């Protein structure tokens, strides 16, 4: 009798497994349109959403040339739709694509300056709420329309999304994710800084879209809206102040010397130290930089300790000048805390901050700021003498 019950139970399990086998509600990969990058524009009072979509049938192929809206190797296409808001635009965009749009692989989001003038909060809110979007996607600002950026036929990479992702990973400009952008806009300063991209001119024999996005300057945002574009040298000072000045070769001239030294920065750190003394608020900025000389067009010889000392002082002065130019733009011209001083005061002096936070916008332009810079030359390349000619050993 007991054996009969065991057999009956086993049969019941086998029969039930028939109904459990298979994933009846799954979506096959052949039914997905995988989005690699997203662009946001704002035209004629409507939000415009562009998706750069991977084409699977060409992904493993050779060197087919793509048509309009496809990458140089023919592995992407773009589709665009408009709506009263970005959610409606996405809904209409899906109607233009014969597969389920999958946004989980979207690693780059480009927001045009026109959309930035409308305001970022609507777009940031949507990207962080919609289930599929990645909060760690890199965000860029663009002078041109985001649609045109994503339609470029990149000669080097499979798509412009890969180009921009690599630029972000190399720390060229700012490296801001969607989550970090949201945190900046919701922070005490209410400002944000994004890398600005433009369309590089194509080569003479190439088509109008056969080119790459190029990084040029920074886009500054106040209270969630695009405010200003800054270019060199002010953009370098801004990157220095927000601790993102990397991978740069900087020319430095010495007084009394014709030509200059070019210094490759190896490490630059910027420390913000807020102080409140006898009711006076001030910010101390300490910058430390290490680099090596990669070009010497002077007649100076770096085996001379006096020349090395003079070079370190000249480099320190140049970095200080860059920081002070950025501070002047921020405090005196824009009167906007782009460097998030407010967040530093809030962390170090929470009680005092609660009393003064409503007055911060009027306090910031007159805030006392002290900048100090220390530099170190860690190498001279393969030569210590001028014109990069190594000394030859005599036989």
């Amino acid at each position: 009798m007991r054996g009969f019950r065991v057999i009956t139970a086993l049969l019941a399990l086998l029969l039930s497994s028939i109904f459990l086998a298979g994933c009846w509600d799954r979506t096959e990969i052949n039914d997905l349109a995988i989005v690699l990058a997203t662009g946001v524009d704002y035209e004629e009072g409507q939000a415009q959403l562009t998706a750069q979509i991977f084409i699977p049938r060409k992904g493993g192929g050779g060197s087919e040339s793509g048509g309009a809206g496809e990458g140089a190797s023919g592995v992407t296409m773009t589709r665009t739709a408009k709506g009263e808001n970005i959610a409606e635009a996405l809904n209409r965009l899906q109607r233009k694509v014969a597969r389920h749009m999958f946004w989980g692989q979207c690693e780059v989001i480009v927001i045009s300056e026109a959309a930035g003038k409308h305001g970022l909060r609507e777009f940031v809110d949507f990207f962080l709420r919609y289930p599929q979007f990645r909060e760690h996607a890199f965000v860029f600002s663009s002078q041109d329309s985001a649609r045109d950026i994503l339609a470029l036929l990149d000669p080097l990479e499979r798509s412009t999304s890969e180009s921009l992702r690599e630029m972000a990973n190399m720390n060229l400009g700012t490296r801001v994710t969607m989550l970090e952008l949201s945190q900046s806009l919701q922070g005490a300063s209410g400002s944000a800084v994004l890398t600005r991209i433009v369309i590089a001119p194509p080569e003479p024999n190439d088509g109008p879209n056969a080119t790459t996005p190029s990084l040029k300057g920074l886009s500054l945002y106040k209270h969630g809206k695009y405010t200003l574009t800054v270019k060199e040298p002010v953009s370098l000072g801004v990157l220095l102040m927000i601790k993102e000045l990397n991978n740069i070769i900087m020319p430095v001239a010495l007084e009394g010397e014709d030509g200059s030294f070019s210094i490759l920065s190896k490490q630059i750190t910027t420390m913000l130290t807020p102080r409140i003394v006898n009711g006076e608020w001030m910010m101390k900025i300490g910058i430390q930089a290490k680099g090596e000389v990669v070009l010497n067009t002077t007649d100076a010889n770096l085996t001379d300790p006096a020349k090395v000392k003079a070079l370190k002082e000249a480099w320190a002065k140049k970095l200080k000048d860059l920081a002070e130019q950025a501070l002047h733009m921020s405090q005196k011209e824009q009167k906007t805390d782009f460097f998030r001083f407010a967040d530093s005061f809030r962390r170090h002096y929470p009680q005092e901050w609660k009393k003064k936070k409503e007055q911060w916008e009027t306090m910031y332009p007159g805030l006392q700021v002290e900048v100090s810079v220390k530099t170190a030359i860690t190498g001279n390349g393969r030569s210590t003498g001028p014109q990069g000619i190594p000394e030859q050993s005599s036989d």
Side-chain angles (χ1 to χ4, degrees):
M1 188 69 179
R2 182 179 177 183
F4 177 76
R5 286 198 299 267
V6 171
I7 293 173
T8 303
L10 288 173
L11 288 173
L13 287 172
L14 289 172
L15 289 172
S16 64
S17 66
I18 295 174
F19 300 99
L20 295 176
C23 300
W24 59 273
D25 61 343
R26 70 180 178 183
T27 303
E28 299 286 349
I29 191 157
N30 290 337
D31 297 327
L32 295 178
I34 300 174
V35 180
L36 302 179
T38 305
V40 179
D41 294 295
Y42 196 81
E43 298 179 359
E44 300 176 348
Q46 288 192 313
Q48 181 172 281
L49 189 67
T50 299
Q52 184 181 83
I53 302 171
F54 177 64
I55 304 176
R57 67 178 180 274
K58 295 183 180 180
S63 57
E64 293 183 64
S65 60
E70 296 183 0
S73 59
V75 298
T76 63
M77 69 178 189
T78 58
R79 291 293 182 268
T80 302
K82 294 182 179 180
E84 293 298 320
N85 54 52
I86 191 171
E88 184 178 62
L90 183 142
N91 187 50
R92 292 178 176 177
L93 184 58
Q94 177 62 82
R95 299 176 188 176
K96 295 185 174 184
V97 180
R99 298 184 179 187
H100 297 286
M101 298 186 70
F102 178 69
W103 304 84
Q105 294 297 317
C106 177
E107 296 185 301
V108 170
I109 297 173
V110 179
I111 302 176
S112 69
E113 290 176 355
K117 291 177 182 178
H118 171 70
L120 296 180
R121 295 191 183 276
E122 170 192 329
F123 310 131
V124 172
D125 183 85
F126 175 75
F127 286 128
L128 291 180
R129 285 181 187 272
Y130 195 79
Q132 290 185 9
F133 278 101
R134 302 174 63 167
E135 61 184 20
H136 296 296
F138 295 120
V139 186
F140 295 85
S141 175
S142 65
Q143 171 190 353
D144 307 284
S145 74
R147 177 187 64 247
D148 292 342
I149 295 289
L150 298 187
L152 295 179
L153 312 179
D154 195 308
L156 182 61
E157 303 289 352
R158 294 191 306 169
S159 64
T160 52
S161 64
E162 288 193 7
S163 295
L164 293 173
R165 184 191 64 205
E166 292 301 323
M167 289 177 181
N169 287 330
M170 288 190 293
N171 293 312
L172 301 178
T174 62
R175 192 173 186 266
V176 179
T177 66
M178 180 55 66
L179 179 60
E180 291 168 339
L181 176 61
S182 174
Q183 292 170 340
S184 296
L185 296 177
Q186 294 177 9
S189 63
S191 63
V193 180
L194 294 178
T195 294
R196 176 176 177 264
I197 55 179
V198 299
I199 298 176
E203 294 297 320
N205 296 328
D206 294 337
N209 283 348
T211 182
T212 62
S214 175
L215 308 187
K216 190 173 184 180
L218 303 170
S219 297
L220 308 184
Y221 295 80
K222 178 181 180 180
H223 301 316
K225 291 192 175 183
Y226 167 78
T227 300
L228 179 71
T229 292
V230 292
K231 301 178 183 178
E232 293 187 18
V234 178
S235 62
L236 298 180
V238 172
L239 290 172
L240 181 61
M241 292 296 299
I242 64 175
K243 310 175 186 179
E244 295 203 44
L245 184 60
N246 304 288
N247 295 325
I248 185 168
I249 298 176
M250 192 174 296
V252 178
L254 288 184
E255 186 176 354
E257 295 282 354
D258 293 330
S260 65
F261 294 89
S262 293
I263 300 176
L264 171 63
S265 63
K266 291 296 187 180
Q267 181 181 7
I268 299 179
T269 58
T270 303
M271 299 295 295
L272 305 182
T273 307
R275 288 284 184 264
I276 301 178
V277 181
N278 297 325
E280 294 293 326
W281 291 44
M282 67 175 297
M283 179 67 73
K284 291 188 175 183
I285 301 171
I287 299 171
Q288 294 186 350
K290 296 179 181 180
E292 64 179 35
V293 176
V294 295
L295 175 64
N296 178 8
T297 61
T298 75
D299 291 328
N301 195 315
L302 291 180
T303 58
D304 183 353
K307 293 296 183 182
V308 176
K309 181 181 178 181
L311 180 58
K312 290 194 297 182
E313 292 174 351
W315 189 26
K317 183 180 183 303
K318 182 156 190 174
L319 291 173
K320 185 175 182 179
D321 289 344
L322 289 174
E324 289 178 343
Q325 287 180 47
L327 283 165
H328 184 270
M329 177 277 299
S330 176
Q331 286 188 282
K332 306 305 180 183
E333 296 176 7
Q334 297 299 314
K335 297 178 172 58
T336 303
D337 180 13
F338 294 115
F339 313 129
R340 303 175 72 174
F341 287 179
D343 293 329
S344 295
F345 279 106
R346 182 177 61 179
R347 286 193 300 268
H348 286 79
Y349 298 96
Q351 298 305 319
E352 290 83 351
W353 172 255
K354 288 180 181 179
K355 298 175 184 177
K356 296 289 187 178
K357 65 179 181 179
E358 300 299 330
Q359 306 172 36
W360 178 247
E361 286 199 14
T362 57
M363 291 173 57
Y364 177 71
L367 184 72
Q368 183 181 351
V369 182
E370 294 181 3
V371 181
S372 61
V373 182
K374 292 182 179 180
T375 59
I377 303 298
T378 60
N380 305 316
R382 293 186 297 172
S383 173
T384 57
Q387 287 80 52
I389 302 175
E391 295 182 1
Q392 300 294 323
S393 59
S394 58
D395 295 331

